[in-house]
Amino acid sequence: MPHPLEELRDSALREIAETQDESALEALRVRYLGRSGSISVWGEQIKTLSKEERPVVGKLLNESRNAVTAALAETGERLRAQREASALADIDLSLPGTATEIGALHPLTQMLDRAIAIFRRMGFALAEGPDVETEWYCFDALNTAPDHPARNEQDTFFLPDGRLLRTHTSTVQVRTMQSAPPPIRVIAPGAAYRRDEVDATHSAQFHQIEGLYVDDSVTVGDLKGTIEFFLRELLGAKTEIRFRPHFFPFTEPSFEVDVKSKALKSGEKWLELAGCGMVHPAVFEEVNRARGDTAYDPEKYSGFAFGLGMDRLAMILFDIPDIRLFSQNDLRFLRQFA
Ligand code: PHE
């Protein structure tokens, strides 16, 4: 006759072998080997046995415990492996993965990043202003007469409330001076809007980098040196640069800047890139009026300002024939700059 402990052990081993899930297996472990499990209680039972019986049953108890522990571990391992395998069953590892398309910066953004990096090296900080502006920021504060043609509805997008889409980024000159006293050395990249006839070189929305430098002895020489350094850094040391006298209401004297470079596709042609000049005293005076102080005393301070055509610059730099390509989102175009 088998000892009851042997019977317990055998039924434990049989049930363990038949178990199909991990929680049932844990229940078996508790039932047989837990603190009051049916095999464990034999540990107490032994004390009641005779001297002769004790070693025999003790040995049997040890063997049973070891056998059941080993069986629990083995079955546990098998069930865990099964669970993991079935979790992966629906995944076809031989399928090709989903490719993630890597994006790239828009050519105008690349152009802007390059330009900003050069101006930063010269100590210019970034400034900004809104695209929707008042007439005062866009024209009055910039010494632009009420009958100036730019204020015409044919040239400027007006909103029903009388505000407008800024026609140039020079508005940021005024905003910057209004918010801080001199010295000022900022660039302000951004969009501007004009009611132009749209063609390969004109778009209703275009981009400029405005620059403003005000300090106690800024000269035309500083203006010329800054623009020349910038353009040669960007377009190459051999770039030729020309300053042509021009008129802007908010600068005096004023110039337009042209470049020519054999390194560029445009070759021997002069291309107009920027307007610039020395800040007109009337602009300082209007800023003072708005500030309610005399921080921009035209007797004490002078400054230069410029507005660079960014789309134009990017078209030259990347040899792009049509300004409309910048806003058409055609991937065949954009991928060429990735
Ligand atoms: N705002 C002028 C334009 O858009 C350019 C400019 C800026 C001229 C600063 C002089 C000084 O044409």
Side-chain angles (χ1 to χ4, degrees), residues 230-300:
F230 169 74
L231 290 173
R232 294 212 167 99
E233 283 296 295
L234 193 75
L235 302 173
K238 295 230 173 67
T239 307
E240 286 180 75
I241 297 152
R242 176 171 84 176
F243 288 77
R244 259 185 305 111
H246 196 73
F247 173 80
F248 295 106
F250 37 94
T251 47
E252 178 62 30
S254 304
F255 310 94
E256 278 194 328
V257 184
D258 304 329
V259 295
K260 184 163 88 173
S261 170
K262 288 198 187 68
L264 302 170
K265 191 73 170 283
S266 51
E268 289 303 289
K269 266 202 344 243
W270 285 105
L271 293 162
E272 182 205 318
L273 270 193
C276 63
M278 303 304 289
V279 179
H280 198 294
V283 175
F284 285 151
E285 270 151 20
E286 187 63 13
V287 164
N288 282 338
R289 233 188 315 280
R291 291 175 54 95
D293 63 17
T294 53
Y296 286 86
D297 180 354
E299 297 299 318
K300 223 161 107 196

Side-chain angles (χ1 to χ4, degrees), residues 167-168 170 173 194 208 210 248 250-251 275-277 305-307:
T167 58
H168 52 186
S170 299
Q173 289 184 35
R194 285 179 203 172
Q208 296 184 317
E210 191 76 15
F248 295 106
F250 37 94
T251 47
C276 63
F306 57 82

Side-chain angles (χ1 to χ4, degrees), residues 66-77:
N66 291 343
V68 172
T69 304
L72 282 169
E74 194 188 309
T75 302
E77 182 57 33

Side-chain angles (χ1 to χ4, degrees), residues 113-123 229-230 233-234:
D113 287 350
R114 285 207 218 175
I116 290 175
I118 298 168
F119 281 118
R120 275 218 181 281
R121 274 157 55 205
M122 290 192 272
F229 177 82
F230 169 74
E233 283 296 295
L234 193 75

Side-chain angles (χ1 to χ4, degrees), residues 12-302:
L13 292 178
R14 198 176 340 101
E15 285 175 65
I16 289 168
E18 285 165 5
T19 311
Q20 289 311 325
D21 74 88
E22 288 169 295
S23 56
L25 190 68
E26 173 60 12
L28 288 178
R29 188 191 65 76
V30 173
R31 192 156 103 224
Y32 288 105
L33 297 184
R35 261 210 298 152
S36 46
S38 48
I39 293 180
S40 307
V41 294
W42 274 89
E44 291 298 309
Q45 204 87 355
I46 280 178
K47 295 175 195 154
T48 64
L49 299 177
S50 67
K51 250 197 165 113
E52 297 75 43
E53 272 183 307
R54 259 189 225 178
V56 182
V57 176
K59 194 167 166 243
L60 193 54
L61 178 60
N62 267 338
E63 281 170 6
S64 303
R65 241 196 230 126
N66 291 343
V68 172
T69 304
L72 282 169
E74 194 188 309
T75 302
E77 182 57 33
R78 176 171 55 78
L79 293 177
R80 194 177 59 81
Q82 265 172 19
R83 171 168 52 80
E84 287 177 357
S86 72
L88 287 174
D90 290 343
I91 298 172
D92 182 351
L93 293 175
S94 67
L95 276 178
T98 328
T100 316
E101 281 218 51
I102 298 173
L105 294 177
H106 190 279
L108 271 178
T109 307
Q110 293 183 31
M111 149 75 233
L112 181 61
D113 287 350
R114 285 207 218 175
I116 290 175
I118 298 168
F119 281 118
R120 275 218 181 281
R121 274 157 55 205
M122 290 192 272
F124 283 85
L126 280 169
E128 62 177 3
D131 290 19
V132 175
E133 271 293 8
T134 63
E135 276 202 67
W136 186 78
Y137 279 108
C138 202
F139 300 121
D140 300 282
L142 290 164
N143 195 35
T144 305
D147 60 350
H148 193 280
R151 303 176 79 135
N152 196 298
E153 290 203 10
Q154 251 83 63
D155 292 309
T156 301
F157 293 105
F158 281 93
L159 275 69
D161 65 5
R163 289 183 301 164
L164 47 79
L165 296 181
R166 64 181 180 192
T167 58
H168 52 186
T169 46
S170 299
T171 53
V172 187
Q173 289 184 35
V174 181
R175 288 187 171 272
T176 307
M177 290 191 279
Q178 219 183 349
S179 68
I184 293 283
R185 202 186 314 172
V186 293
I187 52 166
Y193 307 82
R194 285 179 203 172
R195 286 183 96 118
D196 278 326
E197 202 71 58
V198 175
D199 63 23
T201 53
H202 295 86
S203 165
Q205 185 203 44
F206 57 101
H207 302 83
Q208 296 184 317
I209 302 177
E210 191 76 15
L212 175 67
Y213 178 31
V214 181
D215 209 337
D216 55 16
S217 50
V218 181
T219 67
V220 177
D222 297 318
L223 166 60
K224 204 159 169 275
T226 303
I227 301 261
E228 285 177 349
F229 177 82
F230 169 74
L231 290 173
R232 294 212 167 99
E233 283 296 295
L234 193 75
L235 302 173
K238 295 230 173 67
T239 307
E240 286 180 75
I241 297 152
R242 176 171 84 176
F243 288 77
R244 259 185 305 111
H246 196 73
F247 173 80
F248 295 106
F250 37 94
T251 47
E252 178 62 30
S254 304
F255 310 94
E256 278 194 328
V257 184
D258 304 329
V259 295
K260 184 163 88 173
S261 170
K262 288 198 187 68
L264 302 170
K265 191 73 170 283
S266 51
E268 289 303 289
K269 266 202 344 243
W270 285 105
L271 293 162
E272 182 205 318
L273 270 193
C276 63
M278 303 304 289
V279 179
H280 198 294
V283 175
F284 285 151
E285 270 151 20
E286 187 63 13
V287 164
N288 282 338
R289 233 188 315 280
R291 291 175 54 95
D293 63 17
T294 53
Y296 286 86
D297 180 354
E299 297 299 318
K300 223 161 107 196
Y301 291 102
S302 55

